[in-house]
Amino acid sequence: MTAAPSRTELQDMLSRIDCDVRATADWGVPAQYIPQLAQIEPAQLGIAICDASGECFTAGDASVPFSIQSVSKVFALIAALGRIGDQLWYRVGREPSGTSFDSMVLLESEAGRPRNPFVNAGALVVTDALLSGRAPKQALAEVLGLVRALSEDDAIHIDADVARSEQATGARNKALAHYLDSHKNLREEPEKVLGTYFHQCAIEMTCVQLAMAGRSLAGLPGAPSVLSETRARRINALMMTCGHYDGSGEFAFRVGLPGKSGVGGGILIIAPGRASIAVWSPGLDEYGNSKAGTRAAALLSEATGWSVF
Amino acid sequence: MTAAPSRTELQDMLSRIDCDVRATADWGVPAQYIPQLAQIEPAQLGIAICDASGECFTAGDASVPFSIQSVSKVFALIAALGRIGDQLWYRVGREPSGTSFDSMVLLESEAGRPRNPFVNAGALVVTDALLSGRAPKQALAEVLGLVRALSEDDAIHIDADVARSEQATGARNKALAHYLDSHKNLREEPEKVLGTYFHQCAIEMTCVQLAMAGRSLAGLPGAPSVLSETRARRINALMMTCGHYDGSGEFAFRVGLPGKSGVGGGILIIAPGRASIAVWSPGLDEYGNSKAGTRAAALLSEATGWSVF
Amino acid sequence: MTAAPSRTELQDMLSRIDCDVRATADWGVPAQYIPQLAQIEPAQLGIAICDASGECFTAGDASVPFSIQSVSKVFALIAALGRIGDQLWYRVGREPSGTSFDSMVLLESEAGRPRNPFVNAGALVVTDALLSGRAPKQALAEVLGLVRALSEDDAIHIDADVARSEQATGARNKALAHYLDSHKNLREEPEKVLGTYFHQCAIEMTCVQLAMAGRSLAGLPGAPSVLSETRARRINALMMTCGHYDGSGEFAFRVGLPGKSGVGGGILIIAPGRASIAVWSPGLDEYGNSKAGTRAAALLSEATGWSVF
Amino acid sequence: MTAAPSRTELQDMLSRIDCDVRATADWGVPAQYIPQLAQIEPAQLGIAICDASGECFTAGDASVPFSIQSVSKVFALIAALGRIGDQLWYRVGREPSGTSFDSMVLLESEAGRPRNPFVNAGALVVTDALLSGRAPKQALAEVLGLVRALSEDDAIHIDADVARSEQATGARNKALAHYLDSHKNLREEPEKVLGTYFHQCAIEMTCVQLAMAGRSLAGLPGAPSVLSETRARRINALMMTCGHYDGSGEFAFRVGLPGKSGVGGGILIIAPGRASIAVWSPGLDEYGNSKAGTRAAALLSEATGWSVF
């Protein structure tokens, strides 16, 4: 275990990593399936770190808002576990899938019980649990309220244009929802679950806001107390084994920290007891994870020695 | 982060956990495919912990020797990486598989490149790399020498009867080896790789020896220096995401520590920077992992607060 | 090749087979997913044969109307090929699938091109082709018109209640349609294709009407001329290799004639150049094919020597 | 049904088809995995037809011997059914597989029971049944004796060089055999089954000999009486649904006759009651079936009107 880096060291590290990654200029390609994501300039990189001292450090485009997409699955999971507790696990598993985020293959062989809450099928079940008979507006208000509370920032909102675009193009997610429905693993109408899910994914945040929101999972002093230590640890465990789809093993190997990525290019990374980290760069690698963001995370882990391993 | 438990606290914990698990008496069934494993009395439990102070603590059957089986994959991986370095990763992946330890399905869809070094197919590739043209005897001497050095115990040996039994019954492993061969992912003859692999799996150790052997991966002071800190961390990452086959996510969720299980009922668990832990109980759960051993590990993680999450 | 059975022989055969199958009383269970099918009395059996002489022979419940369900895929295929020709085959294959009728596994590995027009996914593509920009009403009028022309019976109609029930319960088909849409293998809105498909499946016919409708595929003298001899032969080939889902090989083995089954318990069977046969019994076997109907077909094939092999 | 073509017509047809196919010069590439097959000049085409009159007609390279490879699976099946009867079907299925000839995927999901006797795994089970405790030499003598009797030609033999080459390169088949063994679906040692199988596949025949050998399956007058009419029909049914691996549906669609192909470029085709046909051209298509041979078969079916559909 390494000694915690000093304030100045941490700020220097961030600047150096920001420089290094930008110099490489290997940005990847932003998600192409909706115009709002496809149009984004790929050569952007933001990093934000909130550490145990209560301070936040930033580099690059840390204040540029982006669509958090699948990172929202973490917040929806916290909310759904808060609402229905561990009985959620009867309906969704806790194992890595070995397949891509929207695969139907394992879903079929396992009779409609998604592998984990971070593949799309699993996230739809979580959103269904979150609804629990309520209107989409109420469930969304709960997730958004949770995110605002965790970030201590009431300006965070849902980008309705992005949600609408997802709705228009989300054929694969629609297939997954109806498939879950065919196995009676949705309580609500598939269309209702989908509408809620597309809005939840369209939450817009900056790296600073996202790093703030992760402090509770990292168990940092002063973070809002919205979930037990045990639950936080377990969600971190899921982020470690399943947070990057079919690239989860690689992220664990290279970065050594639990993380959850989104197709908008954001990654929330937890260094338990030490820091909450958000990186963002819109270009993606072959698994749908931020390319420059992952590189920044790997450099940061190396520089800080924060790997949990 | 919790303060390290004192010596007395740790010893008390171990005894209490040993009692608790034995009281539950939910032992599972030992592996049935070879007589040497099938005959073992299931109601046994051993725990050993080597911590950062250099001391070792034990409970129950911590000095009973058992067949380490797939736990040996960790030592073979250390040895193979020492021999051929990171080029090993061209031949084997680093992702959890989402399927059982001896599945051929993903192997087929990924053209003979095993998902990770801890599924059987991946371990066969590791053993092939370890051979690198040498005689089985030499490769086995290297692995055994490594284990003895890590454990600081030259009495550790291979149980030849177990190796012979495996050879006689290992049809699935033979299928995997020939399948890898059909994709040119073995350099040696399949029979030679299999013979070496079956012997490597037949190493016999006690919990105390196994916990001693894990100190280097845990980065404990005074541990033999056989691999770099980076390599140790990366192997720990693989143990976290892939160490328990299709139950890896569950182990991460419940225990929160990297671990590697074997069908003999042993589990090596690493608490980075804090301790190396070995548990053993021969009865298995549905995924082929020690049932009482996993329970002991979960209680221990909870009691010590050593979860990396 | 056997000499054609005489009129009396054929009628005697039918009566004997009807008796034999009823005596066995191994009826299977009707499809349970919609009330209209689940409520049907299972102990029913109808057989109708139209032979080359132009005559029709019947036994048992040959005049009881039933929901033809997937047998309609044959008529939709004839209509779609008539409309867009062989370019249909760019969008759907001609190979047996080796999986159940509503599996998504092969669909995923083959990027949204269904294996053949008789699995549900393939039939949805056929219906999509049949729509070709038209309203569902028009496409349905075409299929229904075709069936009426082939049967020379304008009384044949769609059971709107059945169609509505399918719509309410067809989650798996909805999943398939959206999945096809995600691979751009639908030109129309999924909901439009599904609505048309559910209505097409709800066509109600008797064995007599169905046997009449099959005369053109059998190439019988006097049959309505709606498709070329080559096309008829090719559709028969598809019925042989793919007409009974994952039980197609078994039907070929036991009956030796091309056939297409439906979950309503009907089977259309073609003896090329000799006869068009319809059997119906609502109880199903494990693959979703009529249990007593298949048995009647096997006995009939044996008695007549009409197997094409 | 078309009238049987006259002798002169048939001979003219053959010559014309031979010309047409050669003119196209789309030969495909011979199997590359063993030198004996890889070295063969691809621009060769042989056709032989034995019809109900007892005469044989030939075109092109109909007297050039070639390795029959998987066509031998038909003869092994006849022999094994003769030996152990229909209990064989407890160990191997009768359904098309929807996957390639040497896939392990379905084998895994179906617990070691191969889909049909014409995929490699199924053929290994058939060979195992044929051995039934005997020495390989005896089982091979039985298959070879059967082929010679069917062809009325005692000169037919096994090419030992080909058998040896297969043995040296057959890693995938070895994997399949050990996999079957792991599911207890072999009675004999895997190596014994493999050795027998590789020799059986190395039988060398000409188109003339192969067409002669198929007369019994076609039920032609004067053919050796080695299997019942029912059994012949059922084997023909299997050839129709499963005879061309993952191209079986396509062959049924285009040719409309039961056929069994081999990687040596030969195809045995049965026109029940009419003719036994052998075509050979060593270049293969993407599924491992003879490219020019399949084209010749399609032209022949069209010209004769012998499609069973």
Side-chain angles (χ1 to χ4, degrees), chain D residues 73-74 77 116-120 122-123 235 238-239 242-243 245 260:
Chain D
K73 292 171 181 171
V74 176
L77 178 61
N116 65 64
F118 295 154
V119 291
N120 288 12
I235 293 174
L238 285 165
M239 290 169 73
C242 318
Y245 312 117
K260 180 73 207 82

Side-chain angles (χ1 to χ4, degrees), chain C residues 233-259:
Chain C
R233 288 182 164 195
R234 292 183 161 182
I235 292 174
N236 292 341
L238 285 165
M239 290 168 74
M240 179 67 90
T241 54
C242 318
H244 284 73
Y245 314 117
D246 209 19
S248 298
E250 198 62 23
F251 193 85
F253 189 87
R254 288 177 61 195
V255 180
L257 291 169

Side-chain angles (χ1 to χ4, degrees), chain C residues 1-2 89 94-98 106 115 233-234 236-238 240-241 246-250 252-253 258 272 305 307-309, chain D residues 1 89 94-98 106 115 233-234 236-238 240-241 246-250 252-253 258 272 305 307-309:
Chain C
M1 234 172 309
T2 351
W89 304 118
R94 298 184 290 224
E95 289 299 328
S97 73
L106 271 176
R115 266 294 165 120
R233 288 182 164 195
R234 292 183 161 182
N236 292 341
L238 285 165
M240 179 67 90
T241 54
D246 209 19
S248 298
E250 198 62 23
F253 189 87
S307 158
V308 300
F309 303 120
Chain D
M1 236 171 307
W89 304 120
R94 297 184 290 223
E95 289 299 328
S97 73
L106 271 176
R115 266 294 165 121
R233 288 182 164 195
R234 291 183 162 184
N236 292 342
L238 285 165
M240 179 67 92
T241 55
D246 210 19
S248 298
E250 197 62 23
F253 189 86
S307 159
V308 299
F309 302 121

Side-chain angles (χ1 to χ4, degrees), chain A residues 77-294:
Chain A
L77 177 61
I78 295 173
L81 285 171
R83 180 153 287 269
I84 72 165
D86 284 335
Q87 59 174 283
L88 176 66
W89 304 118
Y90 291 110
R91 298 173 58 194
V92 59
R94 298 186 288 225
E95 289 299 328
S97 73
T99 52
S100 74
F101 62 95
D102 58 1
S103 173
M104 313 202 70
V105 171
L106 271 176
L107 203 53
E108 181 158 325
S109 68
E110 298 185 354
R113 182 172 181 259
R115 266 297 167 117
N116 64 64
F118 295 153
V119 291
N120 287 12
L124 287 166
V125 171
V126 169
T127 298
D128 182 73
L130 189 64
L131 281 162
S132 288
R134 296 183 295 173
K137 194 178 283 199
Q138 288 175 287
L140 288 167
E142 183 174 342
V143 176
L144 195 58
L146 172 67
V147 172
R148 287 173 172 171
L150 288 170
S151 305
E152 300 179 35
D153 190 335
D154 282 352
I156 295 168
H157 64 278
I158 291 170
D159 183 326
D161 285 350
V162 168
R164 250 190 310 273
S165 284
E166 306 252 20
Q167 189 96 38
T169 60
R172 186 71 70 97
N173 284 318
K174 289 174 195 168
L176 288 167
H178 287 288
Y179 193 85
L180 291 166
D181 189 38
S182 78
H183 279 288
K184 314 264 180 251
N185 202 358
L186 292 186
R187 307 274 179 275
E188 313 284 332
E189 285 299 306
E191 286 73 17
K192 184 177 167 188
V193 177
L194 287 161
T196 312
Y197 176 73
F198 290 135
H199 277 82
Q200 152 202 320
C201 287
I203 293 175
E204 203 175 78
M205 295 175 83
T206 66
C207 283
V208 173
Q209 290 166 333
L210 190 55
M212 286 290 285
R215 292 169 304 151
S216 300
L217 284 171
L220 299 187
S225 176
V226 301
L227 75 176
S228 72
E229 192 186 311
T230 300
R231 188 158 283 166
R233 287 181 165 197
R234 291 182 160 184
I235 292 174
N236 291 342
L238 285 165
M239 291 169 74
M240 178 68 91
T241 55
C242 318
H244 284 72
Y245 312 118
D246 210 18
S248 299
E250 197 62 24
F251 192 85
F253 189 86
R254 286 176 63 194
V255 179
L257 292 169
K260 181 72 206 82
S261 71
V263 82
I267 311 177
L268 173 62
I269 302 164
I270 304 300
R274 301 177 188 275
S276 166
I277 304 161
V279 295
W280 170 68
S281 179
L284 307 179
D285 66 17
E286 60 189 303
Y287 300 114
N289 301 315
S290 174
K291 198 164 188 181
T294 302

Side-chain angles (χ1 to χ4, degrees), chain B residues 24-97:
Chain B
T24 318
D26 184 10
W27 297 103
V29 179
Q32 296 298 306
Y33 70 103
I34 60 169
Q36 288 86 347
L37 298 181
Q39 290 160 1
I40 292 174
E41 161 60 37
Q44 298 186 76
L45 174 67
I47 315 178
I49 298 182
C50 297
D51 75 1
S53 74
E55 248 183 305
C56 283
F57 305 84
T58 66
D61 305 305
S63 298
V64 177
F66 59 88
S67 192
I68 67 166
Q69 294 294 320
S70 289
V71 182
S72 71
K73 292 171 181 172
V74 175
F75 304 118
L77 178 61
I78 294 173
L81 285 171
R83 179 154 289 269
I84 72 164
D86 284 334
Q87 59 174 282
L88 176 66
W89 304 118
Y90 291 110
R91 297 173 59 195
V92 60
R94 297 186 289 224
E95 289 300 327
S97 73

Side-chain angles (χ1 to χ4, degrees), chain A residues 1-2 86 89 94-99 106 110 115 217 229 232-238 240-242 245-254 256 258 272-274 287 301-302 305-309, chain B residues 1-2 86 89 94-99 106 110 115 217 229 232-238 240-242 245-254 256 258 272-274 287 301-302 305-309:
Chain A
M1 233 173 311
T2 352
D86 284 335
W89 304 118
R94 298 186 288 225
E95 289 299 328
S97 73
T99 52
L106 271 176
E110 298 185 354
R115 266 297 167 117
L217 284 171
E229 192 186 311
R233 287 181 165 197
R234 291 182 160 184
I235 292 174
N236 291 342
L238 285 165
M240 178 68 91
T241 55
C242 318
Y245 312 118
D246 210 18
S248 299
E250 197 62 24
F251 192 85
F253 189 86
R254 286 176 63 194
R274 301 177 188 275
Y287 300 114
S301 168
E302 205 180 320
W306 283 347
S307 159
V308 300
F309 303 120
Chain B
M1 232 172 312
T2 352
D86 284 334
W89 304 118
R94 297 186 289 224
E95 289 300 327
S97 73
T99 51
L106 272 176
E110 298 186 354
R115 266 296 165 117
L217 284 172
E229 193 186 310
R233 288 182 164 195
R234 291 181 161 184
I235 292 174
N236 292 341
L238 285 165
M240 178 67 91
T241 55
C242 318
Y245 312 118
D246 210 18
S248 298
E250 198 62 23
F251 192 85
F253 189 86
R254 287 177 61 195
R274 302 177 187 273
Y287 301 115
S301 168
E302 205 180 320
W306 283 347
S307 159
V308 300
F309 303 121

